Amino acid sequence: MSIRNEYENQIGIEVETLAKNINKALLEDEYVKNLYHGWRVMFSPMFEKPDILIIGINPGNGQSGVEDWGFWSEDEIFEYTNPEYSFALARETKEVFERAGLSSILEKSTVKTNYYYLSTTKESDLYIITDHLANTGSSDDNLRKVFFDKSASWTKTFIDIVNPKLILCEGKSAYDNVTDLFPEYGECDWQNDCGYTIVPKEKIVIIGYSRRYSGIKNKEALTDLLVRFCKV
């Protein structure tokens, strides 16, 4: 069994059930519904022990239509390395890895997913949606709480199955969410719009950086962290 199938078998029913419940709730409000662009899990092949696992906050380009969420769609190559993929963050990520002398790792040993699987055009739209979901269900099981709780659980399971050497978080929100999954951590630091957390028990290093929209705020500092913690 592939690890993608293992992950899908573990959480697939949960993802699809929650997606359908959230979709139903969002159909009740035209404004909120238009902020919602489906769900997606994978943005690369999924394999064990990659040098780097990249985790964004949520997909920015959702699948069109609620009948084609594309939960488990994955490309044959990591989409950032596709010359035809011109998203600004992809360009800047490739630039940083080139500066660090790590282009081969980005191309051959990187897995990409997001902390939240629900797609929106921008991160702020995600929180408009989750605020709307707070009004659904009881205080103990409203869809907002379930969404946040499940997203944390799914991301930790993803990390455990993939077992990366290093996690690169695309933005401070993603970094804060991912590091919160590891309450027992060691050395950590945040300065110059970049930071790292070492998790000795899991033998993982987590790196994060601040963004300005789809740009990396301090590419030089991020380059230095990658050189320090990621070896070819």
Side-chain angles (χ1 to χ4, degrees):
M1 179 187 295
S2 71
I3 63 166
R4 197 200 80 165
N5 287 338
E6 180 182 349
Y7 184 65
E8 183 177 351
N9 288 341
Q10 286 195 38
I11 63 101
I13 293 177
E14 289 184 353
V15 172
E16 294 187 22
T17 298
L18 183 57
K20 290 176 181 177
N21 289 339
I22 286 178
N23 177 65
K24 182 179 178 181
L26 296 183
L27 290 177
E28 300 170 358
D29 186 294
E30 192 69 22
Y31 173 71
V32 175
K33 181 185 71 174
N34 290 332
L35 302 178
Y36 167 63
H37 300 297
W39 291 56
R40 187 176 176 190
V41 176
M42 293 303 305
F43 291 80
S44 74
M46 186 176 181
F47 51 89
E48 284 185 283
K49 298 181 179 179
D51 287 295
I52 295 177
L53 169 60
I54 295 180
I55 302 180
I57 192 64
N58 77 309
N61 297 315
Q63 305 298 301
S64 59
V66 296
E67 297 303 322
D68 184 24
W69 279 311
F71 295 125
W72 310 110
S73 61
E74 60 179 343
D75 299 322
E76 293 182 2
I77 62 172
F78 174 33
E79 64 178 17
Y80 281 17
T81 64
N82 184 341
E84 299 179 359
Y85 190 76
S86 60
F87 182 50
L89 187 57
R91 294 196 305 270
E92 297 210 349
T93 300
K94 287 189 287 187
E95 178 186 339
V96 167
F97 274 78
E98 288 171 1
R99 291 183 181 187
L102 299 170
S103 294
S104 61
I105 284 180
L106 187 67
E107 294 172 0
K108 300 176 181 178
S109 189
T110 297
V111 172
K112 167 76 165 85
T113 187
N114 287 284
Y115 189 89
Y116 302 117
Y117 301 151
L118 192 157
S119 301
T120 57
T121 301
K122 53 188 177 180
E123 183 182 348
S124 58
D125 290 345
L126 173 69
Y127 304 124
I128 293 173
I129 288 174
T130 55
D131 286 347
H132 176 79
L133 295 176
N135 298 319
T136 64
S138 70
S139 59
D140 293 327
D141 63 359
N142 68 70
L143 287 177
R144 180 181 184 274
K145 182 179 186 302
V146 174
F147 176 75
F148 285 134
D149 288 348
K150 288 297 184 183
S151 294
S153 174
W154 296 338
T155 301
K156 184 60 167 62
T157 299
F158 191 104
I159 293 169
D160 290 343
I161 290 176
V162 171
N163 190 22
K165 296 177 183 177
L166 183 147
I167 300 172
L168 176 61
C169 300
E170 297 180 310
K172 188 63 163 58
S173 296
Y175 178 78
D176 289 342
N177 286 346
V178 171
T179 53
D180 282 347
L181 300 174
F182 299 93
E184 297 181 11
Y185 59 87
E187 180 183 349
C188 62
D189 188 29
W190 184 277
Q191 56 181 318
N192 300 320
D193 294 311
C194 289
Y196 68 89
T197 296
I198 298 174
V199 187
K201 184 177 179 181
E202 280 80 5
K203 299 180 180 179
I204 292 174
V205 176
I206 304 168
I207 292 176
Y209 58 84
S210 296
R211 289 169 53 176
R212 182 179 291 108
Y213 301 105
S214 293
I216 298 169
K217 276 191 173 182
N218 192 332
K219 291 192 283 291
E220 292 78 11
L222 178 58
T223 299
D224 290 344
L225 286 179
L226 288 173
V227 169
R228 175 179 175 184
F229 290 111
C230 189
K231 307 299 181 182
V232 177

